[in-house]
C-alpha cells in the first residue's frame, strides 16, 4: 500500500495503515459510501467495513444511513486525534503504574523458579508504604517485631491504614514490642480479633520493624532520616525467622 504524507502522519499518531488510508481518503474526498472508499484506499470492501467500524468507535468517522439504505461515511474533525492520543497517554501512564506496582510480585515468581531469594529495596515514605501494603494480601498470620512508638510518631497515617486494611481482610497479627508506658497504653486499643501483643523487658527499642508472613520477611528502618524498606522472599529464610519468633514469643509477656 502506497502511503502519502498525511497517511504517514496518521500512522505516527497511532492509526493502523488501513485506518490511516481510509481516514485520509475521507478527508481528501469528503463523505463516501464503502464502495468508493474501497477504491480510493485500495482495500477490499470486507476489510473497509471492518476498519470503518473501528474508526467509528474511535470517534474519527460518522456514519449516516444503513439498514435499508446505503450508509455514507464522513470524517470527524482531526482534533479528535489529539484527544485519542491524550487518552492513550493516560492509559499508558496507568498501565506503567500498574506494572511498576506488580514488578515485585512478577520478579518474585521468576526468582522462585530459579531458586533465588527475591529481594526488593525501597526508600522514602512512599517506599515504606509499599512495603507495609505488601502484607495487605497476606494469606498467613503476620508475625511482627515492632517499635510501636516510632510507627505512631513517624507514620501515624500509614499505621492507621495498616490496621484498617488488616481488619477488613481479617488478617491476624502477633506483635512483640518493647515494654514501655506508651506500648502499655496503646495495647488497650488493640483489637483482640486481629491483634495479639506481647512485650519484652530489659531490651532497647527496636529501630527496625520486622514482619514475617507468606514466605516473606520485611524490614522497615524507623529512623526519621533513613526511611528504608526491604522485602525478602525465601522459604528457608522465612522458616528460620518464624522459628526464632515463636521462641521469642514464649519468652515475651502478655499485657492483657
Amino acid at each position: 500500500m502506497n502511503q502519502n504524507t498525511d497517511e504517514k502522519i496518521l500512522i505516527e499518531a497511532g492509526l493502523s495503515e488501513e485506518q490511516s488510508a481510509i481516514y485520509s481518503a475521507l478527508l481528501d474526498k469528503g463523505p463516501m459510501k464503502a464502495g468508493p472508499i474501497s477504491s480510493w484506499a485500495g482495500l477490499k470492501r470486507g476489510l473497509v467495513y471492518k476498519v470503518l467500524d473501528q474508526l467509528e468507535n474511535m470517534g474519527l468517522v460518522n456514519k449516516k444511513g444503513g439498514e435499508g439504505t446505503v450508509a455514507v461515511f464522513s470524517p470527524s474533525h482531526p482534533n479528535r486525534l489529539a484527544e485519542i492520543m491524550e487518552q492513550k497517554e493516560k492509559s499508558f501512564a496507568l498501565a506503567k503504574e500498574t506494572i511498576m506496582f506488580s514488578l515485585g510480585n512478577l520478579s518474585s515468581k521468576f526468582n522462585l523458579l530459579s531458586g533465588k531469594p527475591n529481594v526488593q529495596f525501597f526508600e522514602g515514605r512512599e517506599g515504606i508504604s509499599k512495603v507495609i501494603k505488601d502484607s495487605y494480601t497476606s494469606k498467613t498470620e503476620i508475625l511482627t517485631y515492632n517499635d510501636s512508638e516510632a510507627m505512631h510518631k513517624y507514620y501515624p497515617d500509614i499505621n492507621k491504614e495498616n490496621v484498617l486494611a488488616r481488619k477488613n481482610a481479617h488478617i491476624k497479627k502477633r506483635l512483640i514490642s518493647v515494654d514501655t508506658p506508651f506500648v502499655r497504653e496503646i495495647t488497650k486499643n488493640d483489637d483482640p480479633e486481629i491483634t495479639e501483643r506481647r512485650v519484652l523487658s530489659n531490651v532497647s527499642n527496636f529501630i527496625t520493624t520486622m514482619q514475617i508472613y507468606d514466605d516473606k520477611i520485611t524490614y522497615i528502618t524507623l529512623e526519621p532520616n533513613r526511611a528504608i524498606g526491604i522485602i525478602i522472599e525465601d522459604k528457608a529464610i522465612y522458616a528460620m525467622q518464624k522459628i526464632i519468633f515463636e521462641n521469642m514469643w514464649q519468652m515475651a509477656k502478655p499485657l492483657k
Side-chain angles (χ1 to χ4, degrees):
M1 182 188 302
N2 293 324
Q3 297 171 351
N4 59 35
T5 302
D6 287 344
E7 289 178 34
K8 291 178 181 178
I9 293 173
L10 292 171
I11 291 173
E12 289 181 2
L15 299 187
S16 68
E17 291 186 12
E18 293 81 8
Q19 291 169 346
S20 301
I22 290 176
Y23 184 67
S24 179
L26 290 172
L27 287 175
D28 287 339
K29 305 300 177 182
M32 287 190 289
K33 299 175 183 177
I37 292 174
S38 175
S39 299
W40 280 106
L43 299 170
K44 293 182 179 179
R45 186 172 297 192
L47 178 58
V48 167
Y49 279 115
K50 179 180 179 180
V51 176
L52 283 168
D53 283 341
Q54 295 171 353
L55 292 170
E56 186 178 3
N57 290 332
M58 295 166 69
L60 284 170
V61 163
N62 297 309
K63 176 183 176 182
K64 290 185 179 180
E67 297 183 3
T69 61
V70 180
V72 176
F73 301 90
S74 59
S76 300
H77 195 286
N79 282 344
R80 175 61 186 154
L81 285 167
E83 296 174 2
I84 292 173
M85 292 179 71
E86 288 178 5
Q87 291 173 354
K88 287 183 177 180
E89 287 176 1
K90 290 179 181 178
S91 297
F92 178 78
L94 179 60
K96 182 180 179 181
E97 183 177 343
T98 302
I99 287 294
M100 293 302 294
F101 185 80
S102 303
L103 274 180
N105 184 51
L106 297 175
S107 298
S108 172
K109 291 181 179 181
F110 175 81
N111 287 330
L112 288 175
L113 283 175
S114 63
K116 299 177 181 178
N118 179 45
V119 181
Q120 301 174 66
F121 179 84
F122 303 89
E123 289 185 282
R125 184 181 184 82
E126 184 178 347
I128 296 297
S129 179
K130 285 183 179 179
V131 172
I132 293 176
K133 286 180 179 178
D134 184 81
S135 68
Y136 290 0
T137 57
S138 176
K139 297 178 178 61
T140 64
E141 177 186 36
I142 301 173
L143 310 177
T144 304
Y145 300 97
N146 178 264
D147 183 343
S148 297
E149 189 165 355
M151 282 298 296
H152 278 75
K153 181 178 180 180
Y154 299 120
Y155 307 109
D157 53 335
I158 296 177
N159 185 68
K160 184 177 180 180
E161 179 186 328
N162 179 28
V163 175
L164 182 60
R166 287 198 302 110
K167 187 175 181 64
N168 290 337
H170 304 289
I171 301 172
K172 294 185 177 182
K173 175 183 282 191
R174 278 189 284 155
L175 298 96
I176 296 177
S177 301
V178 177
D179 191 356
T180 66
F182 180 85
V183 167
R184 285 180 173 271
E185 186 62 31
I186 65 170
T187 299
K188 297 176 184 178
N189 299 319
D190 286 345
D191 185 342
E193 292 187 4
I194 60 169
T195 303
E196 184 178 1
R197 187 193 304 265
R198 292 187 179 183
V199 295
L200 292 173
S201 302
N202 302 320
V203 295
S204 301
N205 285 340
F206 300 134
I207 59 172
T208 300
T209 285
M210 176 180 177
Q211 296 202 120
I212 306 165
Y213 61 93
D214 284 358
D215 292 337
K216 298 177 183 179
I217 312 296
T218 70
Y219 296 93
I220 296 172
T221 299
L222 297 173
E223 296 175 350
N225 298 320
R226 190 168 171 265
I228 295 173
I230 300 173
I231 301 176
I232 301 173
E233 185 170 8
D234 183 86
K235 289 184 178 181
I237 297 175
Y238 166 82
M240 175 60 73
Q241 292 295 344
K242 190 173 185 294
I243 290 171
I244 295 172
F245 181 92
E246 295 295 357
N247 279 275
M248 294 290 289
W249 184 257
Q250 295 303 316
M251 296 169 56
K253 180 175 65 175
L255 288 179
K256 289 187 177 181

